[in-house]
Amino acid sequence: MRLYLLRLGTIPRLGAPVAAYLIRTDEGRTVLVDSGAPPGGLPGGAPAVEAGEGQDLVTALAGAGVRPEDVDTVVCSHFDPDHVGGHASFPAAEFVVQREHWDLARSGTVPRLTASRPLWDVPGLRYRTVEGDTELLPGVELIASGGHVPGHQSVLVRLERTGAVLLAVDAIPMSAALDPERRPVLPFDLDEKELRESTRRLVDLARAENALIVHGHDAEQWRTLRVAPAYYD
């Protein structure tokens, strides 16, 4: 199994990456985790993500030898606009999201999820909801990690040579947020209590698995990681 870290641009002012993740299994499964920001800019007046050459999703996938039609599963960590911008490129895939998040997003009670709805509520896309920790396929587990937003999920990938890699996404977006008690609560984090509980749970899981934690928006860490077309296996 191979894991590719896809850098799909940079958040202005922060220098922080916008990311997606590609998993290719030995059995021929192709799983995408998130789909980055929309090419035309983020909904709701947020500054557009700055994308360099080759950092659009389709080009990044091509660098790993993958076409959009090859992707059979898209794992949705959550529906923030910088994570769902390319969903429409995968009409043949099954999208997997936590039921809690699906219900919240469709309720219209969280403005940023409502603003991003045209990106994820695309006619014809097939969604499957799961509840809590779920084995997606052998070696790939979905880990419930709410707090940033209810129903957020992270992904644990067990690789043969690298060992375990925990894609924390926005549950622990940077290494400065690894301490459950002292971590900052950022403007888009909706539930501080659950956020700290999820942080503790993910850190404990990473320790038990001896896992590399990949933070979703950590500019410093991403300079040290193998970014696609390089991969972890």
Side-chain angles (χ1 to χ4, degrees):
M1 183 156 55
R2 293 181 176 181
L3 169 65
Y4 297 81
L5 311 184
L6 308 177
R7 180 156 189 163
L8 303 180
T10 302
I11 299 173
R13 295 190 303 274
L14 301 177
V18 171
Y21 310 91
L22 176 69
I23 302 165
R24 306 198 74 184
T25 75
D26 297 338
E27 295 73 31
R29 296 285 302 274
T30 301
V31 178
L32 181 68
V33 180
D34 291 340
S35 66
L42 299 174
V49 168
E50 297 172 350
E53 183 177 355
Q55 290 187 335
D56 65 281
L57 179 56
V58 173
T59 301
L61 289 174
V66 172
R67 303 166 301 171
E69 56 266 34
D70 298 328
V71 175
D72 51 69
T73 305
V74 178
V75 173
C76 307
S77 67
H78 62 307
F79 288 160
D80 275 358
D82 57 329
H83 295 262
V84 296
H87 276 27
S89 297
F90 307 98
E94 177 182 67
F95 290 74
V96 182
V97 63
Q98 289 284 327
R99 176 178 292 278
E100 181 183 19
H101 192 68
W102 174 251
D103 290 343
L104 175 72
R106 295 173 71 227
S107 73
T109 58
V110 179
R112 71 185 199 248
L113 301 182
T114 300
S116 69
R117 188 163 187 163
L119 302 173
W120 54 265
D121 193 8
V122 177
L125 295 189
R126 297 179 294 112
Y127 281 91
R128 173 165 68 93
T129 60
V130 296
E131 297 189 44
D133 296 353
T134 302
E135 183 182 63
L136 181 70
L137 49 90
V140 181
E141 295 182 20
L142 311 180
I143 309 297
S145 50
H148 173 66
V149 64
H152 180 284
Q153 60 185 353
S154 304
V155 182
L156 180 68
V157 185
R158 293 187 176 94
L159 300 169
E160 183 175 355
R161 285 200 274 191
T162 302
V165 179
L166 178 60
L167 308 176
V169 197
D170 283 5
I172 312 178
M174 58 198 71
S175 58
L178 280 167
D179 187 320
E181 301 304 325
R182 299 183 180 181
R183 63 160 293 161
V185 178
L186 302 173
F188 289 113
D189 294 332
L190 297 185
D191 186 325
E192 179 177 351
K193 181 176 183 292
E194 187 178 23
L195 183 72
R196 297 192 186 283
E197 290 173 351
S198 290
T199 302
R200 182 176 295 103
R201 186 163 181 261
L202 291 176
V203 169
D204 288 348
L205 174 63
R207 185 178 297 114
E209 295 276 349
N210 194 26
L212 166 67
I213 300 178
V214 175
H215 305 288
H217 298 297
D218 190 322
E220 184 174 345
Q221 185 196 33
W222 274 69
R223 284 192 286 269
T224 71
L225 298 172
R226 296 179 212 164
V227 177
Y231 57 85
Y232 293 88
D233 61 2

